[in-house]
């Protein structure tokens, strides 16, 4: 049965209806469905009321995320998505030719994307982005969406959101199909409330009222069709719309008062967070990440931004074997933003970098210091990795010598941030996995005499990023930092005073609890719990240092591990039980220097204290819960809401993605960088390896091509 909105409501017995907008007339006869009857046209204001209900539901999708957003860029993006939905829905109520409707919708979506990308600084970035498009196309066709540039990921999000909003409106207005949209809305809000501890009670109440209003207005059209009212009989659109709106308000008010009378529901001990994280870890195929809820989790390296402090049990699962001439900590990544309950990554963008493009010399700030030494390390994974993790190393990477794959070939690039000081392994292509890598690192200078003599001013960019503290940080935390550093004559003494205070005054335990809601994690640890594991100590030291105007950052990785062979270079087995967190402090003239405030563990070579003999295994890193998923920003990992609609044209080319990537490389070989040519060639090698098997060592492209098989060495 056709929905009445699909019909053309005309005046008289026949003829087309015309709509005049700003002096232009559009013939609606070619726009309405051919099976339309000779009936009265639904008024524009009724379609407007219908679209307002849809707009309210879409805004309710975004409001919980907006209230939970910690970063200004995320809040701005959510605001733009709300405005974009409103504009698209208002434009969609006009019944005009399809080509004009789609053209204006395209301009609206493009304008939103340009606004978000420009950031008020003009469109000069378009030229830079144009150079990134071929590389992004190769990544897209090879399935590595997470490695796309920030601008391309934002484009996918905006287009996907625009298509979703427009599609829902068209289905609701012209097909009468609203059941799926309304069901998904309620389920989504319930999952946020029950599974992720986001209070959406009022959002659910408002959504139920909007759904009631939308279905009631649609009911008038269904009634009109079922009763067979003739075109002469006027329908009470205005009265019906007003009455249904009043009824919806009554429903929402009654539900709200009922909730107030019954009181808040008791807090559930069981949430969907652990299940969500298990599925995420299983799907990613990365190194096993620790999963935590309020019940006990296990130690291990984590890339999640969940709340800190959950109790842990120690895991002995092997992660990698490190071959190195010195015992050292294995640095993974540093995090700058602390919100009072968790450490949050700032969405740093990582781009592909050819191994030959990595600077082989240390920065000018460090190169002049006599105490700096380099160290070569070879990391062999216990289970081949699918990538997407940091390059664990001993300090500042100065060279990535090789990355070995399970099929015997070598990977020719890594992912690096804009400063080329932080590196990650890319996601492996095809069935090949990363088995090992070899890096060379610059060890920081830990000479107390040198560090005490450094008193230069910190660069503004360092202070702006690494002195950040929550606005609601309790005053007693700042007072404690001032007290501990009051008698220090230099930065090094201030740092060691805070480190010694934590090591001497607090005890180590894995049996902890997440602080009560509304309390600051560091404040609760320092003044209430007074015990914890490495995350507690490292977070507390970082916050105390920043409170004393000393730039510091939180670092996570692994401890040295267990010595396996009495040979040189030594071999260390690193397990998830060695996962660890510590602090890096900035010294102008020496760079970032690591300090470990956790009591008990032996300090590794390169840390700002004398190296000690091997002792008990290091304190584990905190297990982290899978908090509210964030919308995809730069580096972010979430997919756009139903953005798959935007990738439908790409799906058809998936089977031939390697051929398309090579075609792009061949057509622009003269202007394409060496790095991009290597990536395109890598796709070809992996495709041939999947079909014919991995090539023997030493086989080149020429020798492979001549006999068309992987059996003849070069």
């Amino acid at each position: 049965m056709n929905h009445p909105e699909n019909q053309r409501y005309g005046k008289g017995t026949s003829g087309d209806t015309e709509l005049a907008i700003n002096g232009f007339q559009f013939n609606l006869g070619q726009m309405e469905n051919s099976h339309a009857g000779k009936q009265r046209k639904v008024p524009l204001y009724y379609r407007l009321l219908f679209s307002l209900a849809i707009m309210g539901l879409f805004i309710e999708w975004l409001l919980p995320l907006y209230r939970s957003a910690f970063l200004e860029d995320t809040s701005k993006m959510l605001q733009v998505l709300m405005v974009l939905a409103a504009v698209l829905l208002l434009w969609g109520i006009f019944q005009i030719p399809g080509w004009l409707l789609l053209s204006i919708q395209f301009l609206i979506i493009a304008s939103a994307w340009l606004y978000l990308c420009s950031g008020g600084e003009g469109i000069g970035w378009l030229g830079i982005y144009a150079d990134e498009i071929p590389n992004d196309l190769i990544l897209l066709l090879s399935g590595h969406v997470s490695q796309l540039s920030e601008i391309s990921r934002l484009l996918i999000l905006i287009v996907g959101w625009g298509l979703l909003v427009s599609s829902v409106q068209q289905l609701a207005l012209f097909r009468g199909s609203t059941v799926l949209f309304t069901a998904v809305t309620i389920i989504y809000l319930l999952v946020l409330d029950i599974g992720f501890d986001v209070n959406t009670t009022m959002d659910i109440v408002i959504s139920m009222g909007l759904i009631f209003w939308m279905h009631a207005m649609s009911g008038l059209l269904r009634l009109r069709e079922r009763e067979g009212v003739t075109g002469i009989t006027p329908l009470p659109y205005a009265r019906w719309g007003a009455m249904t709106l009043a009824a919806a308000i009554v429903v929402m008010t009654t539900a709200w008062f009922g909730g107030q009378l019954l009181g808040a529901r008791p807090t559930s001990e069981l949430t969907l967070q652990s299940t969500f994280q298990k599925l995420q870890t299983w799907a990613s195929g990365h190194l096993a990440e620790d999963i935590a809820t309020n019940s006990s989790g296990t130690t291990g390296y984590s890339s999640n931004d969940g709340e800190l402090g959950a109790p842990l049990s120690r895991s002995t699962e092997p992660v990698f074997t490190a071959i190195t001439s010195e015992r050292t900590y294995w640095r993974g990544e540093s995090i700058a933003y602390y919100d009072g309950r968790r450490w949050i990554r700032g969405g740093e963008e990582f781009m592909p970098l050819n191994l030959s493009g990595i600077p082989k010399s240390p920065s000018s700030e460090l190169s002049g210091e006599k105490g700096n030494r380099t160290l070569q390390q070879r990391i062999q994974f216990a289970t081949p990795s699918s990538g997407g993790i940091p390059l664990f190393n001993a300090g500042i990477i100065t060279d990535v010598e090789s990355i070995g794959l399970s099929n015997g070939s070598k990977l020719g690039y890594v992912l690096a941030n804009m400063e080329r000081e932080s590196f990650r392994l890319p996601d492996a292509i095809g069935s090949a996995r990363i088995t090992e890598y070899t890096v060379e690192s610059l060890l920081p200078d830990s000479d107390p005499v040198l560090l005490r003599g450094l008193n230069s001013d910190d660069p503004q960019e360092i202070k702006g990023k690494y002195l950040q503290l929550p606005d609601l940080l309790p005053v007693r935390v700042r007072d404690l930092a001032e007290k501990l550093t009051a008698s220090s004559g230099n930065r090094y003494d201030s740092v060691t005073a805070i480190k010694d205070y934590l090591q001497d005054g607090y005890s180590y335990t894995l049996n902890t609890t997440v602080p009560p809601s509304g309390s600051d994690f560091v404040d609760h640890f320092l003044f209430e719990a007074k015990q914890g594991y490495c995350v507690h100590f490292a977070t507390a030291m970082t916050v105390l240092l920043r409170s004393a105007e000393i730039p510091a950052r939180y670092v996570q990785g692994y401890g040295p591990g267990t010595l396996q062979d009495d040979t040189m270079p030594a071999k260390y087995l690193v397990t998830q039980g060695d996962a660890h967190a510590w602090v890096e402090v900035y010294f102008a003239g020496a760079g970032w220097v690591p300090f470990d405030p956790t009591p008990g563990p032996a300090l590794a070579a390169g840390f700002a204290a004398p190296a000690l003999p091997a002792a008990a295994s290091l304190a584990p890193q905190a297990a982290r819960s899978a908090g509210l998923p964030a919308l995809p920003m730069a580096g972010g990992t979430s997919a756009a809401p139903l953005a798959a609609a935007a990738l439908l044209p790409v799906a058809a080319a998936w089977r031939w993605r390697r051929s398309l990537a090579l075609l792009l490389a061949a057509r622009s070989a003269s202007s394409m960088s060496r790095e991009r040519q290597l990536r395109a060639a890598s796709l070809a090698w992996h495709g041939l390896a999947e079909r014919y098997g991995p090539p023997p060592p030493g086989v080149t492209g020429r020798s492979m091509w001549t006999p068309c098989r992987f059996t003849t060495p070069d």
Side-chain angles (χ1 to χ4, degrees):
M1 179 166 54
N2 295 318
H3 193 272
E5 189 59 77
N6 246 348
Q7 301 172 347
R8 182 180 69 225
Y9 297 90
K11 293 182 181 181
T13 59
S14 64
D16 295 338
T17 303
E18 291 186 344
L19 175 66
I21 302 177
N22 295 331
F24 295 95
Q25 290 188 333
F26 302 101
N27 192 312
L28 301 180
Q30 299 184 14
M31 177 206 58
E32 304 286 355
N33 291 344
S34 59
H35 59 266
K38 304 170 185 179
Q39 300 170 328
R40 191 181 185 87
K41 179 178 178 294
V42 175
L44 178 64
Y45 68 82
Y46 202 76
R47 297 197 300 273
L48 174 61
L49 293 177
F50 214 108
S51 297
L52 287 177
I54 299 174
M55 181 173 65
L57 291 177
F58 273 117
I59 291 177
E60 288 299 333
W61 279 32
L62 300 178
L63 280 178
L65 304 178
Y66 181 76
R67 293 193 297 265
S68 303
F70 299 105
L71 301 177
E72 182 180 351
D73 289 343
T74 303
S75 299
K76 178 182 177 181
M77 181 187 66
L78 292 171
Q79 292 172 358
V80 171
L81 291 180
M82 293 181 193
V83 174
L84 176 62
V87 174
L88 287 174
L89 289 170
L90 291 177
W91 176 249
I93 66 175
F94 297 107
Q95 294 182 328
I96 57 178
W99 66 267
L100 181 59
L101 179 69
L102 293 176
S103 298
I104 300 300
Q105 286 176 338
F106 170 79
L107 291 177
I108 294 172
I109 293 173
S111 298
W113 176 64
L114 290 172
Y115 173 76
L116 278 177
C117 294
S118 64
E121 299 179 358
I123 59 174
W125 56 271
L126 282 174
I128 300 175
Y129 177 60
D131 294 335
E132 297 178 354
I133 291 177
N135 184 54
D136 281 352
L137 286 176
I138 293 176
L139 289 172
L140 190 62
L141 295 174
S142 60
H144 293 77
V145 179
S146 63
Q147 297 178 21
L148 294 175
S149 65
E150 178 182 357
I151 298 177
S152 292
R153 293 198 304 271
L154 193 58
L155 176 61
I156 293 174
L157 170 63
I158 295 294
V159 172
W161 176 253
L163 291 176
L164 175 64
V165 171
S166 300
S167 300
V168 168
Q169 183 187 37
Q170 295 301 310
L171 288 173
L173 281 178
F174 304 119
R175 297 288 182 183
S177 177
T178 60
V179 176
L180 179 61
F181 173 54
T182 55
V184 169
T185 299
I186 296 301
I187 293 173
Y188 162 73
L189 293 175
L190 286 173
V191 168
L192 289 183
D193 189 76
I194 299 174
F196 297 100
D197 199 26
V198 178
N199 186 3
T200 60
T201 302
M202 198 60 197
D203 299 291
I204 294 175
V205 170
I206 295 175
S207 297
M208 291 299 296
L210 292 172
I211 291 171
F212 177 85
W213 185 30
M214 184 169 60
H215 280 278
M217 287 190 294
S218 180
L220 176 64
L221 303 180
R222 290 194 297 269
L223 177 64
R224 161 71 189 80
E225 182 181 11
R226 184 170 62 251
E227 296 298 329
V229 180
T230 65
I232 302 175
T233 305
L235 292 177
Y237 292 108
R239 283 184 298 161
W240 187 268
M243 291 174 59
T244 54
L245 176 59
I249 294 175
V250 170
V251 169
M252 289 187 287
T253 304
T254 303
W256 183 81
F257 275 112
Q260 296 299 311
L261 292 175
L262 293 176
R265 61 177 175 84
T267 302
S268 174
E269 293 293 330
L270 179 63
T271 71
L272 298 179
Q273 295 180 16
S274 58
T275 303
F276 177 84
Q277 180 62 17
K278 287 178 181 178
L279 290 174
Q280 188 182 52
T281 302
W282 173 81
S284 67
H286 296 164
L287 285 176
E289 294 181 352
D290 52 316
I291 303 165
T293 62
N294 284 332
S295 59
S296 179
T298 58
T299 60
Y301 189 87
S302 172
S303 295
N304 298 315
D305 294 337
E307 289 193 329
L308 308 173
L312 302 176
S313 59
R314 191 177 299 277
S315 170
T316 59
E317 179 184 359
V319 181
F320 60 80
T321 298
I323 303 174
T324 176
S325 59
E326 293 191 28
R327 184 172 183 267
T328 180
Y329 282 18
W330 302 104
R331 186 186 190 279
E333 60 185 333
S334 64
I335 312 175
Y337 187 85
Y338 172 71
D339 76 339
R341 304 282 296 182
R342 58 182 64 79
W343 286 101
I344 300 176
R345 290 159 180 80
E348 191 172 29
E349 185 174 6
F350 284 78
M351 296 299 294
L353 177 64
N354 191 337
L355 296 189
S356 63
I358 299 176
K360 300 299 190 297
S361 59
S363 64
S364 59
E365 180 179 43
L366 300 176
S367 58
E369 303 299 341
K370 297 180 180 180
N372 291 125
R373 298 173 293 112
T374 58
L375 178 68
Q376 186 186 67
Q377 313 112 64
R378 182 181 179 186
I379 305 298
Q380 298 174 326
F381 290 109
T383 301
S385 170
S386 60
I389 59 174
L391 266 76
F392 298 103
N393 73 99
I396 301 174
I397 292 180
T398 58
D399 187 20
V400 181
E401 298 181 3
S402 65
I403 301 175
L405 301 177
S406 57
N407 60 7
S409 61
K410 302 291 185 180
L411 192 63
Y413 71 100
V414 292
L415 301 179
N417 64 355
M418 296 300 293
E419 295 77 17
R420 297 188 179 183
E421 63 177 8
S422 182
F423 299 87
R424 302 181 68 88
L425 290 172
D427 292 329
I429 301 175
S431 59
R433 294 293 181 264
I434 300 171
T435 57
E436 65 176 13
Y437 62 86
T438 302
V439 297
E440 186 176 88
S441 302
L442 180 70
L443 301 181
D445 199 321
S446 59
D447 182 6
V449 176
L450 171 66
L451 298 178
R452 283 192 177 98
L454 299 176
N455 55 7
S456 301
D457 292 336
D458 300 316
Q460 188 58 44
E461 58 270 20
I462 294 292
K463 293 192 292 185
K465 184 175 182 179
Y466 297 106
L467 290 179
Q468 176 273 330
L469 288 171
D471 294 335
L472 300 179
L473 182 70
V475 176
R476 59 180 178 176
V477 176
R478 299 180 187 270
D479 292 342
L480 177 60
E482 183 179 355
K483 177 182 177 181
L484 293 175
T485 59
S487 60
S488 301
N490 55 74
R491 175 165 295 183
Y492 178 82
D493 289 341
S494 296
V495 174
T496 55
I498 293 176
K499 178 178 70 70
D500 294 342
Y501 173 79
L502 293 172
Q503 288 183 338
D504 297 339
Y506 297 82
S507 58
Y508 178 85
T509 181
L510 295 177
N511 187 20
T512 59
T513 59
V514 175
S517 178
S519 61
D520 183 89
F521 174 77
V522 170
D523 179 80
H524 182 266
F525 167 66
L526 291 175
F527 300 103
E528 304 295 336
K530 298 185 178 181
Q531 60 178 1
Y533 43 85
C534 62
V535 169
H536 296 76
F537 289 91
T539 302
M541 182 174 177
T542 304
V543 171
L544 288 172
L545 287 169
R546 292 182 176 185
S547 299
E549 298 298 321
I550 299 175
R553 60 190 185 188
Y554 174 89
V555 181
Q556 58 185 24
Y558 289 97
T562 305
L563 182 63
Q564 297 298 292
D565 299 318
D566 189 14
T567 59
M568 289 301 290
K571 182 180 294 186
Y572 295 88
L573 175 63
V574 178
T575 70
Q576 294 290 15
D578 295 310
H580 194 48
W582 58 92
V583 181
E584 287 180 345
V585 182
Y586 185 80
F587 289 82
W592 292 99
V593 180
F595 293 82
D596 188 354
T598 304
L603 298 174
F607 270 57
L612 301 177
S617 62
L618 288 167
Q621 177 190 346
R624 297 168 178 259
S625 60
L628 177 66
L631 287 177
M633 288 296 290
T637 57
S638 305
L642 300 183
L647 298 178
L648 288 177
V650 179
W654 176 258
R655 179 178 177 84
W656 301 279
R657 62 190 186 280
R658 294 187 177 91
S659 299
L660 291 172
L662 286 174
L663 179 61
L664 288 171
R667 290 179 62 88
S668 57
S670 59
S671 60
M672 181 177 286
S673 66
R674 175 178 172 83
E675 176 184 323
R676 292 177 179 173
Q677 294 179 26
L678 287 172
R679 299 193 65 177
S682 177
L683 289 174
W685 274 101
H686 283 291
L688 293 168
E690 287 182 358
R691 181 164 185 175
Y692 300 105
V699 170
T700 65
R702 182 184 300 275
S703 60
M704 174 196 67
W705 176 259
T706 302
C708 295
R709 52 200 296 254
F710 281 83
T711 57
T712 304
D714 191 20

